[in-house]
Amino acid sequence: MTRSTCRGKEFQQTPIPISSLLQSSAFFYFFSFLTPLFFISGCAEKETGSAELPSPIAMKENKEGKHSDIQNKHSSRLPPPEPSEIAQLPRDGGVEFNRLVFESSPYLLQHARNPIDWYPWGEEAFSKALKENKPVFLSIGYTTCHWCHVMEHESFEDDEVAELMNKDYICIKVDREERPDVDNVYMSVTQMMTGQGGWPMTVIMSPEKVPFFAGTYFPKSSMIQLIPHFANIWKKERNKVTEVGNAIMQSLNEMQANQAGGDLNASHLDACFQALLTDYDSQYGGFGNKPKFPTAHTLSFLLRYHKRTGEKKALEIVKHSLQKIHQGGVYDQVGMGIHRYSVDEEWLVPHFEKMLYDQALFAQANLECFQITKSEYFAQTTKEILSYVIRDLTSPEGGFYSAEDADSEGEEGKFYVWTESEVIEILGIEDGSFFNETYRFEKEGNFLDEATHQKNGTNIPHLRKSLDEIAQEKNQSPQEFRDKIDSLKATLFAARKKRIHPQKDDKVLTDWNGLMISTFAQAAKALDQDKYLKIAQNAADFCLSELRLPNGRLLKRWRRGKAGLPAHLEDYAFFSQGLIDLYEASFDIQYLKAAIELVDLTIVHFEDQEKGGFFLTADDGEKLLIRAKEIYDGAIPSGNSVMALNLLRINKITGNKKYLTSAENLFSAFSGFIEKNPQGAEVLLHALDFALAPAKEIVIVGDPSMDDTKELIREVNQHFLPAKVVLFRSTQVTNPEILEFAPFITTHRLVDGKPAVYICENQTCQQPEVSAEKIRELLGK
């Protein structure tokens, strides 16, 4: 299983199943109509490495100046109307707008002025398609997707394209971040039909939601051919459309069959390590060839493997990869935070969007590496990323925003790049030249433009080695060198703030907030920072207040005072994880209580009671073509992987066997997948490592306001102990509420009037310890 790009966006290439789809004569017969279209569709290439650039036609259009017109349009995008104006519009949006004007998603609102008669995903659109006997044109993307912007301005803002689409199709726009269930189904189809997938995603289907064509980005020249071609197929070759649709449905159902195998054990951890070792880039860090993704949860797996086995190579891979990523252009050297991924193997040229989940996962990997190595380098990287999130992705209400765009003024990365002369003008000749040399600037530019393959005079700041190493080469004090660099970067950052900023996707997503809450909570513990704890609590309180219904169920999204959409498995899994981590950072019982309630709801509404594991959608959710069940850890972990660990942790806390049973059933459901794809679900292997450890229960007893209790808590928090839960029994009250959830700690008391730590396995505890030094010795083993 490999990761690559399609039109500048991530896609996941998975083995295509041997199914009736591939064997169907109707499939091949139908695709005989499509050969010309596949030659001009930019994402039809079979070799992953060739799919990262626009098609030759798109590049030709760029060279003819059409792309500059697109950029000008993009830079002049009008803001959405005010709510008072929207309230006066007719149901179809009126003359200036389409129906997307009534939506909350920033991505859908971007398309509200398109001349296309867009509908949001919903019954109204499909009923109209059925009534008028028209196929559905489905376009899926997200706010910060560069090539989604390009396709919009090339095609969806074009009157000629719009006329063709409006004539023969009912057109639907979907924000994949709001509807991952819809995206999952049609991404599976796109991967089956083309061997790869990505965003923007383009699907043509029947009014019954059954697809018969799928692809990704298409330039206008392709759209002009594609739209009437499939309208004609729909009208004149309906029997073949039906045959292909039936074959696709059969293949989708086969894909959802459980991949059960044997019992999972430590050999599967070894297999994953060996696979990663083979894929490791020893020169630049990370895995595979270009393009390269941070894959922070993969690095976190290696840290757990090192902890379990003592394998030094696993730790070296993580240290080297984290350093190379942090020193590269994929990391924002001036403003902090990590970009989406690198188009090259050196981590130099990123796709510049910044996603909340990448900040959470990359910061967590650095934080865990710090706990093991005690290297301040990794602690500092963690602090930088969290500073960026606090500054730019935290709402006044407490929740975390989703992302920042790659584009500004119609150009990807324009906000982030510099010329040598700009830096010298801002910093002066001496300091500017020093900065340019340190961050490897070149007069003609230090990278090739992705579309033109030419240098354009701009530079992406990046380092060839750490600042301390550079300082030593120059015989300078590392601290003084860093202080000077920090001062220069602050001046450049102030200048950069005056530029036109990329768009911020200001919706608050429950699942991504759960990941970020986890990271802030864990950073609060490991770095002993109360400010991080407060930020995590504010975000959790916001989500519990604004994204949770009175019946305890979650909602998917909040934006500008309006919450909505049913939550999916990832929302329950990631947010529950965040709440458990927040309990262990704060020992506020409300967070543990909420986490257990959410996991219980997940078992009721999402679990596959027959075959194990959890569906992406709830039992009372919208019925799509299939009820998907996913284990692959892509850009973010799968909900099943995270839920497995939640179940094991809550079982350790409560002693309730139902959680362990659900976790064991989940492992069984996906064991065959792990056997075939040891790298495919590294986060599930985090849970397996926890299950095999065996995990410990660490119980702290004391007065939380006393310094000696705080000292014991700090000592426990300093250690990298992924296979453990931490509970706190306060002596300030006779019967603390924690006893309702963890009755096994009822007998745990102070020792000779002193706070104590009990280290337990399977709720059987060793003798309590009152000395921080002794606890350090025991936990360090």
Side-chain angles (χ1 to χ4, degrees), residues 395 397-399 508 513 537-547 558:
S395 72
E397 295 83 2
V508 176
N513 269 249
Q537 289 175 315
N538 288 344
D541 293 346
F542 170 83
C543 292
L544 288 170
S545 171
E546 300 297 325
L547 286 160
W558 178 95

Side-chain angles (χ1 to χ4, degrees), residues 413-647:
K414 185 174 182 178
F415 181 76
Y416 297 101
V417 297
W418 307 81
T419 64
E420 281 193 340
S421 58
E422 281 180 299
V423 172
I424 290 173
E425 181 179 352
I426 295 167
L427 299 179
I429 294 177
E430 182 178 347
D431 285 343
S433 299
F434 167 76
F435 186 89
N436 289 341
E437 178 188 357
T438 302
Y439 283 92
R440 309 187 74 182
F441 281 26
E442 299 174 13
K443 185 174 182 180
E444 67 274 18
N446 63 10
F447 68 98
L448 297 179
D449 182 85
E450 188 184 7
T452 66
H453 272 247
Q454 302 293 320
K455 292 187 175 183
N456 60 11
T458 61
N459 292 272
I460 301 170
H462 67 288
L463 298 166
R464 59 186 172 84
K465 54 184 65 175
S466 72
L467 292 174
D468 285 0
E469 291 173 312
I470 297 173
Q472 289 173 1
E473 288 179 353
K474 295 178 178 292
N475 294 317
Q476 297 182 19
S477 160
Q479 186 60 54
E480 292 178 359
F481 190 84
R482 288 197 304 269
D483 289 344
K484 180 176 181 178
I485 287 291
D486 288 343
S487 175
L488 298 181
K489 287 198 293 187
T491 301
L492 289 174
F493 180 77
R496 197 177 78 174
K497 283 183 67 176
K498 299 175 183 177
R499 297 177 177 178
I500 295 175
H501 284 243
Q503 179 187 2
K504 196 187 305 291
D505 185 340
D506 61 353
K507 66 177 180 289
V508 176
L509 295 172
T510 305
D511 51 353
W512 298 4
N513 269 249
L515 293 176
M516 201 71 243
I517 290 166
S518 280
T519 300
F520 270 107
Q522 292 178 40
K525 294 192 302 177
L527 302 178
D528 196 22
Q529 293 280 346
D530 287 340
K531 68 176 182 180
Y532 294 154
L533 178 59
K534 183 62 176 175
I535 291 167
Q537 289 175 315
N538 288 344
D541 293 346
F542 170 83
C543 292
L544 288 170
S545 171
E546 300 297 325
L547 286 160
R548 197 179 190 198
L549 296 169
N551 64 1
R553 301 283 291 274
L554 295 175
L555 295 172
K556 178 71 184 178
R557 176 261 299 139
W558 178 95
R559 182 172 184 263
R560 300 187 180 183
K562 183 179 179 181
L565 302 176
H568 302 102
L569 174 61
E570 282 81 2
D571 300 295
Y572 285 86
F574 297 177
F575 188 39
S576 296
Q577 174 184 258
L579 291 170
I580 297 171
D581 288 334
L582 185 51
Y583 165 74
E584 292 190 352
S586 67
F587 298 123
D588 188 332
I589 195 66
Q590 68 160 322
Y591 299 122
L592 178 59
K593 181 179 180 181
I596 294 173
E597 290 171 352
L598 290 174
V599 170
D600 286 341
L601 284 169
T602 309
I603 292 172
V604 170
H605 293 291
F606 291 85
E607 189 172 25
D608 184 342
Q609 299 290 343
E610 295 182 4
K611 299 179 179 179
F614 293 84
F615 294 107
L616 179 61
T617 54
D619 54 354
D620 55 358
E622 179 183 352
K623 301 300 184 287
L624 300 174
L625 294 181
I626 54 172
R627 193 176 177 203
K629 194 164 59 172
E630 183 68 60
I631 193 58
Y632 176 69
D633 294 325
I636 59 176
S638 78
N640 272 288
S641 294
V642 174
M643 187 54 69
L645 189 53
N646 291 341
L647 291 165

Side-chain angles (χ1 to χ4, degrees), residues 762-778:
N762 296 321
Q763 303 188 355
T764 300
C765 303
Q766 303 174 24
Q767 288 296 316
E769 300 293 343
V770 298
S771 162
E773 291 76 13
K774 184 62 176 178
I775 294 166
R776 185 179 307 121
E777 176 187 342
L778 291 172

Side-chain angles (χ1 to χ4, degrees), residues 663-679:
E664 290 173 341
N665 291 341
L666 191 157
F667 283 132
S668 177
F670 297 112
S671 58
F673 178 90
I674 292 295
E675 289 173 0
K676 296 176 182 177
N677 305 278
Q679 289 177 262

Side-chain angles (χ1 to χ4, degrees), residues 35 78 91 93 95 138 274 277 386 542 559 565 631 714:
T35 302
L78 295 173
R91 285 188 60 192
V95 176
L138 173 65
Q274 291 300 325
L277 198 60
L386 298 185
F542 170 83
R559 182 172 184 263
L565 302 176
I631 193 58
R714 276 195 296 269

Side-chain angles (χ1 to χ4, degrees), residues 348-360:
L348 171 58
V349 184
H351 272 293
F352 286 90
E353 62 265 40
K354 289 181 176 178
M355 314 301 293
L356 179 66
Y357 57 77
D358 282 322
Q359 314 309 315

